[in-house]
Amino acid sequence: MSCIFCKIINKQELSGILYENNKFIVIKDINPKAPVHLLIIPKKHIPSVKEIGQEDKELLGELILVAKEFAEQKGLKGYKLIINVGREDGQIIDHLHLHLLAQ
Ligand code: 5GP
Ligand code: ZN
């Protein structure tokens, strides 16, 4: 498996995981585009939103909840949640992830 996020999840790559539970990890983006730029990453390897299915409904709800709880814990008043979909619109890592950006 050559996916960089799977390697981080499997601890084959050092990354400074900020939070982990049985379904997700949270890491800092290596190339931050805002003072706070985190990535919430499901452990399940789903290449992109294009590949999600009915079976992922619960996981996707939990993805937003993890982001919300993390933002609350960091005391963020407002933030952006972004998912890039497809190479054509800026997705460079083919493992579904949610960007959390804040000032
Ligand atoms: P995408 O464009 O696929 O939505 O976002 C991928 C993000 O992952 C980019 O913002 C990029 O800076 C970040 N990234 C790529 N490789 C690594 C890595 O090895 N470690 C971390 N922490 N972030 C990465
Ligand atoms: Zn992966």
Side-chain angles (χ1 to χ4, degrees), residues 4-5 8 15 27-31 33 37 39 84 90-93 97 99:
I4 181 69
F5 286 174
I8 290 172
S15 71
I27 60 174
K28 282 189 183 173
D29 196 292
I30 205 169
N31 181 22
K33 291 165 190 76
H37 188 171
L39 302 172
N84 296 317
Q91 183 179 0
I92 55 170
I93 306 283
H97 53 281
H99 295 257

Side-chain angles (χ1 to χ4, degrees), residues 1 3 5-6 45 94-95:
M1 170 63 79
C3 170
F5 286 174
C6 282
H45 180 91
D94 292 333
H95 181 130

Side-chain angles (χ1 to χ4, degrees), residues 13-62:
E13 197 77 44
L14 274 182
S15 71
I17 292 176
L18 300 176
Y19 171 81
E20 177 169 18
N21 67 18
N22 59 336
K23 290 186 190 159
F24 301 94
I25 61 164
V26 179
I27 60 174
K28 282 189 183 173
D29 196 292
I30 205 169
N31 181 22
K33 291 165 190 76
V36 177
H37 188 171
L38 305 177
L39 302 172
I40 298 103
I41 310 175
K43 289 184 174 178
K44 179 179 177 186
H45 180 91
I46 304 171
S48 85
V49 166
K50 292 179 187 177
E51 282 83 16
I52 59 174
Q54 291 292 327
E55 69 280 10
D56 298 312
K57 274 199 294 200
E58 195 177 321
L59 187 75
L60 294 167
E62 287 176 27

